[in-house]
């Protein structure tokens, strides 16, 4: 894992075309803030994930982000942490964190991930 001077690390599914596109889109939107984000492709790295304390199956089904204090966040908490670093995404991070919105977004997110993994034969 390349651990240069990143403030946070995003564990993403490099075998997923839409995940790769999301990464590229985030980098474009983040600008300079994106330089403080390290990207770790989880593909084929089950042992490394376990050593960090991330279940490989969950890494495939939920986004994980490790902050500068080495604390790992998953699913919507990970998205919120990541989006809060980009000024124009902060309102969206706030919105998906609202108690009324959060469970709906979480359910939709999980459903989309399952469909993506089933369609690619990885679940």
């Amino acid at each position: 894992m390349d651990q240069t001077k990143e403030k946070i690390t995003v564990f993403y599914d490099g075998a997923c075309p839409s995940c790769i596109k999301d990464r590229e889109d985030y980098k474009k939107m983040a600008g300079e803030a994106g330089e403080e984000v390290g990207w770790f492709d989880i593909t084929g790295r089950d042992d490394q994930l376990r050593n960090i304390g991330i279940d490989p199956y969950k890494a495939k089904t939920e986004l994980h982000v490790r902050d500068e204090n080495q604390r790992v966040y998953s699913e919507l908490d990970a998205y919120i942490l990541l989006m809060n670093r980009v000024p124009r995404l902060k309102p969206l991070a706030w919105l998906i964190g609202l108690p009324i919105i959060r469970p709906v977004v979480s359910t939709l997110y999980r459903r989309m991930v399952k469909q993506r993994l089933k369609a690619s034969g990885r679940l």
Side-chain angles (χ1 to χ4, degrees):
M1 177 164 78
D2 55 347
Q3 279 283 52
T4 52
K5 292 187 177 182
E6 293 90 21
K7 299 286 184 186
I8 65 173
T9 302
V10 178
F11 298 86
Y12 75 101
D13 185 354
C16 162
S18 66
C19 300
I20 293 169
K21 184 179 179 334
D22 289 346
R23 173 187 170 182
E24 292 168 0
D25 291 345
Y26 179 84
K27 284 178 157 183
K28 286 177 191 171
M29 281 189 275
E32 285 184 28
E35 294 173 15
E36 296 184 357
V37 177
W39 298 88
F40 182 92
D41 181 357
I42 65 167
T43 308
R45 294 184 158 170
D46 290 2
D47 289 337
Q48 286 177 289
L49 290 168
R50 283 187 198 96
N51 289 338
I52 297 167
I54 299 174
D55 177 285
Y57 176 80
K58 285 192 172 216
K60 197 168 27 172
T61 60
E62 300 174 0
L63 178 69
H64 286 72
V65 175
R66 184 173 57 191
D67 71 9
E68 52 276 329
N69 298 312
Q70 306 305 301
R71 182 170 176 209
V72 177
Y73 296 81
S74 63
E75 205 202 39
L76 291 185
D77 290 330
Y79 278 101
I80 291 168
L81 177 68
L82 193 57
M83 287 189 285
N84 270 322
R85 295 184 163 268
V86 180
R88 57 185 183 175
L89 293 178
K90 280 185 179 188
L92 182 58
W94 174 81
L95 181 67
I96 68 172
L98 290 174
I100 294 173
I101 305 290
R102 187 182 186 105
V104 174
V105 173
S106 179
T107 300
L108 292 173
Y109 170 75
R110 289 177 189 196
R111 192 174 297 153
M112 286 175 23
V113 169
K114 275 189 177 180
Q115 287 175 347
R116 172 179 62 82
L117 291 170
K118 282 182 181 179
S120 65
R122 297 176 48 211
L123 185 63

